[in-house]
Amino acid sequence: MTKKLNKNLNIFSKTISFSDNSILPIVFGEHDKFLKIIENKLFVSIYPRGNFLKVSGEVNKVKITCNLLQTLFENVKKNHFLDEGEVYGMINLLQDTKCGSLDSKENIESLNFTAGKKLIKPRSKRQVEYFNLVRKKDLVFCCGPAGTGKTYLAVALAVSMLKSGQIEKIILSRPAVEAGERLGFLPGDLKEKIDPYLRPLYDALNDMLSFSEVLKKIENGMIEIAPLAFMRGRTLSNSFIILDESQNTTAIQMKMFLTRLGENSRMIVNGDLSQVDLPSGTKSGLRESINILKDIKDIGFIEFEESDVVRNPLVSKIVSKYNEFEKIQRVGEKYKKK
């Protein structure tokens, strides 16, 4: 391993080597796709030569890049698999100075867990905070834009706890606000009418468990997927309960749902306050509950931002542009009122 420092250009170069170059094509990605992502995100230049890589750029960025490449190499060595999401996730984690040290990386790796057939890893600093919150608190409110992993991570944590025997049942719920009075006009029985609104929850489950396993657990009552209205009058014990799209609950619905929490249960309330679909003039139960409950230390609160988007990188740009547009609109409306 060698180090070079060009003082005139303030460019630092470091060469790292890998013990097994047979798995480097996976680390580099097809047509060096992952190396190009790392170069663009960290503003470095990477020059591959056999089982050696030369990294050039600003000192701290080179250090992060070398740390990143070594970590990705070790992960691929274990799993023989690497996807774009994991590359972006590791970049997000290592760019934070607290995550740059070896101790921090070991702590992050301790948060990895298996949910059915999936190995789940945190992909941003806030996801690390989220994992820790869910492990410590019985009730967690999680807000943020699309693509930050709110629903997916909640379902993964639920599946993991069900598999390990920590809970007896998973309960997944969403308000079917979009349906409204039109629900009666849809064909089929109640389940067929409601299922389209619960599809994102089914998708997350099917990514972690086989179709037959999901079906079997639904049939024997170990997994229940139901609209919010079905929660009234129940006490949910020994369960992992997830309320998705909670920005579309009314204040009364939210109070009803929160008070269902029984013994030995965990509850996660997910929502995106920028996507409220309630009728004009109706207050979001999510917004109100956060304001009312924010001082209770036994409840966890976390808010993801557009920088935490781990879906397609394009989603982060879309969210950012919409936020800019909506901010301009709000300023324009205030100006009109004046």
Side-chain angles (χ1 to χ4, degrees):
M1 191 177 290
T2 61
K3 296 181 184 179
K4 297 178 183 177
L5 180 62
N6 186 326
K7 293 181 180 178
N8 294 326
L9 297 175
N10 197 28
I11 296 294
F12 178 76
S13 293
K14 184 174 179 179
T15 300
I16 56 175
S17 62
F18 300 91
S19 57
D20 183 358
N21 61 5
S22 67
I23 61 173
L24 287 182
I26 303 174
V27 178
F28 295 175
E30 190 176 2
H31 305 301
D32 293 342
K33 178 183 178 181
F34 297 152
L35 293 186
K36 289 170 186 173
I37 289 172
I38 295 167
E39 286 181 321
N40 292 333
K41 289 287 286 183
L42 294 172
F43 304 103
V44 294
S45 296
I46 302 173
Y47 308 96
R49 293 287 184 274
N51 66 327
F52 290 89
L53 275 182
K54 180 183 175 184
V55 183
S56 298
E58 188 270 323
V59 177
N60 192 47
K61 297 292 186 183
V62 170
K63 181 181 176 182
I64 291 171
T65 302
C66 292
N67 211 346
L68 169 67
L69 289 165
Q70 293 283 13
T71 302
L72 293 176
F73 176 79
E74 291 302 323
N75 289 350
V76 170
K77 210 171 165 185
K78 293 175 190 173
N79 306 315
H80 293 276
F81 175 79
L82 183 64
D83 62 16
E84 194 172 327
E86 184 169 351
V87 175
Y88 276 106
M90 286 305 303
I91 292 171
N92 289 340
L93 288 171
L94 291 172
Q95 279 193 103
D96 181 72
T97 53
K98 291 178 183 177
C99 295
S101 69
L102 183 63
D103 287 344
S104 292
K105 284 202 298 175
E106 286 175 347
N107 289 337
I108 291 165
E109 286 177 8
S110 72
L111 291 171
N112 297 348
F113 64 92
T114 303
K117 59 186 178 183
K118 278 280 184 176
L119 176 64
I120 308 297
K121 304 177 182 180
R123 290 186 172 181
S124 71
K125 181 188 173 186
R126 282 188 183 83
Q127 284 194 1
V128 172
E129 293 171 6
Y130 179 63
F131 281 22
N132 283 323
L133 265 182
V134 174
R135 289 178 175 184
K136 293 174 184 175
K137 310 283 185 180
D138 289 344
L139 172 58
V140 174
F141 285 86
C142 178
C143 296
T148 49
K150 301 186 303 295
T151 301
Y152 191 87
L153 291 177
V155 173
L157 287 159
V159 168
S160 177
M161 289 184 70
L162 182 68
K163 284 281 194 178
S164 65
Q166 293 172 266
I167 54 161
E168 297 174 359
K169 188 172 186 176
I170 297 174
I171 299 171
L172 309 173
S173 186
R174 289 182 109 194
V177 168
E178 302 93 331
E181 293 180 356
R182 291 170 292 172
L183 195 63
F185 294 98
L186 294 173
D189 59 20
L190 183 59
K191 183 181 183 299
E192 290 170 325
K193 293 177 182 184
I194 290 295
D195 271 0
Y197 300 98
L198 305 171
R199 179 50 52 191
L201 298 171
Y202 283 111
D203 289 344
L205 279 173
N206 288 327
D207 199 38
M208 296 163 209
L209 303 171
S210 67
F211 178 77
S212 59
E213 193 173 3
V214 171
L215 203 60
K216 184 179 178 181
K217 290 187 184 302
I218 290 174
E219 287 175 353
N220 65 24
M222 293 178 75
I223 295 177
E224 179 182 347
I225 306 176
L228 182 60
F230 285 30
M231 298 298 111
R232 187 173 297 280
R234 300 175 61 185
T235 300
L236 307 175
S237 301
N238 301 308
S239 303
F240 197 114
I241 312 137
I242 300 168
L243 177 59
D244 205 32
E245 300 292 345
S246 67
Q247 75 275 4
N248 289 328
T249 61
T250 63
I252 293 171
Q253 287 175 326
M254 180 61 82
K255 182 182 177 183
M256 177 274 291
F257 182 79
L258 294 176
T259 53
R260 300 307 95 200
L261 186 63
E263 290 184 7
N264 189 39
S265 286
R266 299 286 176 90
M267 182 179 282
I268 295 180
V269 178
N270 286 332
D272 179 359
L273 287 168
S274 70
Q275 294 190 19
V276 178
D277 298 314
L278 292 167
S280 180
T282 305
K283 287 184 180 179
S284 167
L286 174 61
R287 192 186 303 276
E288 184 174 281
S289 62
I290 290 173
N291 289 333
I292 292 170
L293 305 174
K294 61 186 177 184
D295 295 327
I296 300 179
K297 292 181 181 179
D298 294 331
I299 300 175
F301 298 90
I302 188 162
E303 185 169 358
F304 288 109
E305 298 177 358
E306 60 195 57
S307 59
D308 298 304
V309 171
V310 292
R311 201 174 282 168
N312 188 309
L314 185 58
V315 175
S316 180
K317 295 175 183 177
I318 293 170
V319 170
S320 178
K321 284 297 181 183
Y322 266 98
N323 286 343
E324 287 176 22
F325 175 74
E326 288 162 5
K327 192 179 287 184
I328 292 168
Q329 273 196 323
R330 286 195 295 270
V331 171
E333 287 170 4
K334 284 182 181 178
Y335 181 77
K336 284 180 183 178
K337 289 178 182 178
K338 289 181 180 180

